[in-house]
Amino acid sequence: MRYAPSDLPVFTLTTGPVDAYPAVLRSLAATVLYDYDPVFQATYQRVAQKLATVVKAETMPVILHGEPVLGLEAAAASLLGPGDVMLNLVSGVYSKGFEGWAARSGAEIVELAVPYDRVIDPAEVARVLAARPDITVVAACHHDTPSGTVNPVAEIGAVVRRHGALFLVDAVSSFGGMPVDAESAAIDLLVTGPNKCLGCPPGLSILGVSNRAWAKMKANLQAPRASILSILDWQDAWRADRPFPFTPSIAEINGLEAAIDLYLAEGPSKVWARHALTAAACRAGLKAMGLAIWPAEEAFASPTCTAVRTPEGIDEAQLRAEIRARYGVVLSSGRGETHGKLTRIGHMGPTAQPLHAIVALSALGGGLSALGHRVDVGAGVAAALAVIDAG
């Protein structure tokens, strides 16, 4: 029986926004305090200090009050100026899109690009840096979500640090779901948010900033100041005895604290293992069903997102609509160059549970069969369960 979309509850297995943890939702409903109430000022400082333990930057993390696009645009505007040469590592839609913000700064953009089903080779980064010793900033997207691929940022970061450039990393959809922090990957400006693997709704940006990045931004006369895009204005706002540049998102800070508490209580390594097991089970099931993932090699695939190639003859938008109508399961489309070519299954935060891989496989298989592309859902579920049992 096929239902109308409104007849079924929604089971969200997208790559964002993702479902939020119940504890986060409860915290969002807490009393919204005055931002200069001593209780909230103490809360803000406490949340920043908790964040520092997981972001692992040289300085206290910065919280910007808008979803992570704000953090990415602010990073480009603050770190780059007309005298800079930026190497942009392009492996997907989002890393390519960063060039638009970077170009506004007047910096020269050098691009190292690979097909969107592959990842950046650190040796190629070293080659470009050797050929262009004037490169001052290197930008990369850790997990380019529209492709479901993960770049080796730790290895790239080591190359960038030897060169002496600053390393800017978009870790929006990877942070909290796999190992990545500013210290281990030699990242000077790490941009992420709690609305993916930490299981919060969208509303905040989180930045890990090195001392070198602070010095670069302060020396950049065109870096935003007294602006919604300013990072500099928020450097000391984490301290309970310092003013906020403008009103922070009170409820979102309450939710973020709950998310960080959950993350630390479970333990980062266990959280990463949960994400990885869910993704591995999902991919094993897809393979058993005769479906292919988008990344050219499984080693390139993300533990927080599985991108499934659209079978020939299937309209991808129609497939997702069919799955939504029949089962109440919501999946993500591709973006830009990958739009219509793949379907994305999110394994982020609350949905990074092995059982959810079974739900995704069953819904995807049912949707494909309804559109005339028969797959063996039973074989897919059995393969996924074998991985879960072994894990």
Side-chain angles (χ1 to χ4, degrees), residues 85-154:
V85 180
M86 188 192 84
L87 172 60
N88 195 34
L89 307 179
V90 176
S91 59
V93 174
Y94 290 157
S95 47
K96 178 66 176 178
F98 187 75
E99 290 180 3
W101 294 315
R104 295 179 196 167
S105 69
E108 179 187 350
I109 310 298
V110 177
E111 184 181 283
L112 172 59
V114 296
Y116 287 4
D117 60 353
R118 306 196 69 84
V119 298
I120 301 294
D121 182 352
E124 283 298 297
V125 178
R127 180 189 63 77
V128 175
L129 291 175
R132 289 295 304 266
D134 56 341
I135 289 171
T136 55
V137 176
V138 177
C141 183
H142 186 203
H143 171 212
D144 219 314
T145 324
S147 301
T149 54
V150 177
N151 283 306
V153 291

Side-chain angles (χ1 to χ4, degrees), residues 186-229:
I187 298 170
D188 293 288
L189 188 47
L190 181 149
V191 182
T192 188
N195 55 303
K196 300 281 189 177
C197 301
L198 292 179
C200 289
L204 297 174
S205 296
I206 298 168
L207 282 68
V209 190
S210 73
N211 287 312
R212 294 197 312 154
W214 278 122
K216 180 76 163 60
M217 291 189 289
K218 289 175 181 179
N220 182 6
L221 296 180
Q222 70 177 35
R225 294 164 172 86
S227 164
I228 188 72
L229 287 175

Side-chain angles (χ1 to χ4, degrees), residues 41 77 133 162 219-220 233 259 316-318 323 350 365:
Q41 290 179 306
R162 286 195 297 270
N220 182 6
D233 290 353
E316 197 276 334
Q318 185 181 1
I323 291 169

